Amino acid sequence: MTDQLSASFVSEIEQEVLGALLIGGDVRDVSDLKPEFFVADIHRLLFGTIREAHERFGSTAPAVVQRALPSEAQALFLNRTGRSPLGYMMDLQGATIYGKGGLKRTGAAVVEQWGRLRVGELGQQLAVAAADAAANPTKIIKTIAADLDDVASALRSGRRRHTLYTMDTATKEALVDVQDAMARGNGLTGHTWGLTDINSTTGGIHPGEMAVIGARPAMGKTALALSVALRCAATGVGVGIISLEMGAKKLALRRLTDVGYDWGVKVPYTDLIKGTVSQKDLDALVAANQDADNLPLWIEEQSGLTITDIRVRIERMAEMARARGVALGVLIIDYLQLVRPSSRYAGNRVGEITEISWSLREFGREFGIGIIALSQLSRGVESRDDKRPSLADLRDSGAIEQDADMVAFLYREAYYLEKAKGKDPDKEADRVNRLIDCQNELEFIIAKQRNGPARTVKLFVDIACSAVRSAARV
């Protein structure tokens, strides 16, 4: 540590935690704290020994801790403090301010200080590396980014929600969710999909869970995702979209036509892109969208994001949501295969997708949000007579099916009928008639659901206007 960083180190922060533990503080209150988070070497040694004494002897009293210290500790403590280990521990006991009750807060402060100083060290390392004319900037960035992500991960662990429950506690909290759902009267235990039949089948978009929606191109993945985002945000839930394929402006045009659809303003969004919309229709779209202008909905359009990049975006969106007085509740990834993998499984696509899928699922748990990950399906679908997708069509890895709490597929028969042509006049007439009948049908095929049935939900879709609704509208 440089002199500048050493000057900003506050030893008393670490001493407060150690003192509280030595007077009988509960080690479980700082279960996420590790010896390496202590900057002073004697504090690292002392904290590790306190934990060991607690595990071996069930006590953190100074006399017990002293017995567990290694033989070389005597000389180290005398050199650093001029006191014996026992004498130093007695000093720590007497100096504690917040006592046992402040352990959680002061433990977090130790991690925060370590994180601040570690970031400073990495900044200095970055400056030294960048000054080398022969250095590879890409390699420097990757190395520093990985180290910074380790720091960020450690800082998050200190703020992690509790994960160990008794069955009684878990049951009580689950019943609170049930009572809330009963009070709402809509059967939802999660956030709304904005689609009645999907809500009734799934119970909503559940925090901490991942739903994967797979489809071939032109089936309506983005249209569905945006429709869900708009209607979920309209209920006061913060929604983030990581759009790795489509830019924010193009999504905004889809939003205009989606919202305008319910106002009877049916304008294909491609007309907006080409500028062929009339001024009257454009004014009507803008008027219809005024109420949706302030929704807690954020779009990240940068392509090629890594898992680390997505984590940063989630944290930023969560901060923006808090500033609006709401909580980030749902994150949509469009789409999973476009997330840039780390170098860990370079060349092994199955390993890369497995890592991406698992990481997205963990984001749901870590941040307490519902994850909706769109997924491209393999071309094998196109070679079959029945082109309705199945779990076997998920591309590159079976881990997607394993990690997802729900897997659904989108299928539009009209898309394939539009491309086909009857072999004789009778078959052509049948094709045209069927196309008319199913022009606005979208099948939401739930192939896997941990907490509900597998079934197909019929939806209404107007692909040109990017509008997806419950089938009851027609």
Side-chain angles (χ1 to χ4, degrees), residues 212-224 245 334-337 373-379 381-382 387-390 393-395 407-412 415-416 442-445:
V212 172
I213 299 176
R216 290 292 295 155
M219 290 296 108
K221 291 192 301 296
T222 302
L224 175 73
E245 183 178 40
D334 187 9
Y335 57 88
L336 185 150
Q337 284 85 0
L374 306 187
S375 177
Q376 194 69 274
L377 299 182
S378 66
R379 290 188 178 91
V381 173
E382 309 296 334
K387 294 177 172 52
R388 286 176 176 81
S390 67
D393 296 313
L394 287 171
R395 282 178 63 176
V407 179
F409 300 107
L410 302 183
Y411 173 74
R412 285 198 307 119
Y415 170 78
Y416 294 103
L442 174 64
E443 294 183 24
F444 187 88
I445 305 167

Side-chain angles (χ1 to χ4, degrees), residues 146-455:
D147 288 337
L148 286 172
D149 189 46
D150 289 341
V151 175
S153 178
L155 292 172
R156 283 189 298 272
S157 71
R159 300 189 294 269
R160 189 180 302 160
R161 60 183 175 85
H162 73 281
T163 57
L164 183 62
Y165 290 82
T166 64
M167 182 57 74
D168 178 59
T169 301
T171 302
K172 288 179 180 177
E173 295 193 11
L175 287 174
V176 170
D177 292 340
V178 173
Q179 293 287 348
D180 288 344
M182 291 171 65
R184 286 193 294 269
N186 55 15
L188 286 181
T189 53
H191 306 306
T192 183
W193 287 89
L195 299 161
T196 304
D197 290 340
I198 297 180
N199 278 340
S200 64
T201 302
T202 64
I205 305 166
H206 297 99
E209 296 187 359
M210 179 170 76
V212 172
I213 299 176
R216 290 292 295 155
M219 290 296 108
K221 291 192 301 296
T222 302
L224 175 73
L226 184 59
S227 178
V228 170
L230 288 167
R231 280 143 193 84
C232 187
T235 66
V237 175
V239 179
I241 300 177
I242 304 291
S243 184
L244 301 171
E245 183 178 40
M246 184 175 293
K249 292 181 181 179
K250 294 295 192 298
L251 283 176
L253 295 182
R254 285 174 175 254
R255 165 241 170 154
L256 289 173
T257 59
D258 180 310
V259 174
Y261 201 87
D262 288 334
W263 290 69
V265 186
K266 300 180 180 180
V267 178
Y269 73 91
T270 53
D271 287 359
L272 297 179
I273 294 173
K274 294 181 294 185
T276 56
V277 61
S278 69
Q279 187 63 50
K280 178 182 178 182
D281 283 344
L282 182 60
D283 291 343
L285 282 178
V286 172
N289 274 266
Q290 286 182 351
D291 290 341
D293 283 341
N294 295 313
L295 294 178
L297 175 59
W298 296 274
I299 302 169
E300 171 57 67
E301 68 170 4
Q302 184 174 334
S303 60
L305 294 181
T306 64
I307 283 296
T308 299
D309 296 330
I310 291 174
R311 185 192 297 277
V312 171
R313 269 55 174 193
I314 294 174
E315 291 177 337
R316 186 179 303 166
M317 289 176 178
E319 291 175 1
M320 295 170 72
R322 284 193 293 271
R324 290 278 300 273
V326 299
L328 183 67
V330 175
L331 181 75
I332 297 171
I333 308 291
D334 187 9
Y335 57 88
L336 185 150
Q337 284 85 0
L338 290 181
V339 176
R340 185 156 59 89
S342 70
S343 58
R344 181 178 180 184
Y345 297 100
N348 181 347
R349 188 56 176 164
V350 171
E352 291 174 345
I353 294 298
T354 298
E355 179 184 43
I356 292 168
S357 174
W358 180 86
S359 298
L360 293 178
R361 179 174 181 265
E362 288 304 297
F363 286 162
R365 293 187 172 188
E366 179 180 341
F367 293 97
I369 58 179
I371 302 289
I372 299 176
L374 306 187
S375 177
Q376 194 69 274
L377 299 182
S378 66
R379 290 188 178 91
V381 173
E382 309 296 334
S383 63
R384 301 196 300 261
D385 290 335
D386 184 355
K387 294 177 172 52
R388 286 176 176 81
S390 67
L391 291 170
D393 296 313
L394 287 171
R395 282 178 63 176
D396 302 313
S397 175
I400 298 175
E401 176 187 346
Q402 176 181 318
D403 293 334
D405 296 279
M406 184 186 83
V407 179
F409 300 107
L410 302 183
Y411 173 74
R412 285 198 307 119
E413 184 182 358
Y415 170 78
Y416 294 103
L417 287 172
E418 287 168 352
K419 295 171 62 177
K421 186 175 182 180
K423 295 181 180 180
D424 56 55
D426 288 340
K427 289 185 178 180
E428 177 63 10
D430 290 342
R431 181 189 72 87
V432 172
N433 289 333
R434 177 57 189 154
L435 178 57
I436 293 171
D437 290 339
C438 71
Q439 186 67 51
N440 296 114
E441 286 183 4
L442 174 64
E443 294 183 24
F444 187 88
I445 305 167
I446 301 175
K448 171 194 172 181
Q449 188 177 188
R450 293 194 200 279
N451 302 309
R455 58 165 294 199

Side-chain angles (χ1 to χ4, degrees), residues 39-51:
V39 177
D41 55 357
I42 58 171
H43 294 164
R44 286 197 297 273
L45 174 60
L46 193 52
F47 178 73
T49 307
I50 287 172
R51 288 205 312 187

Side-chain angles (χ1 to χ4, degrees), residues 25-28 49-60:
D26 194 336
V27 175
R28 293 172 295 183
T49 307
I50 287 172
R51 288 205 312 187
E52 181 184 353
H54 180 266
E55 292 172 3
R56 290 176 57 190
F57 308 116
S59 173
T60 59

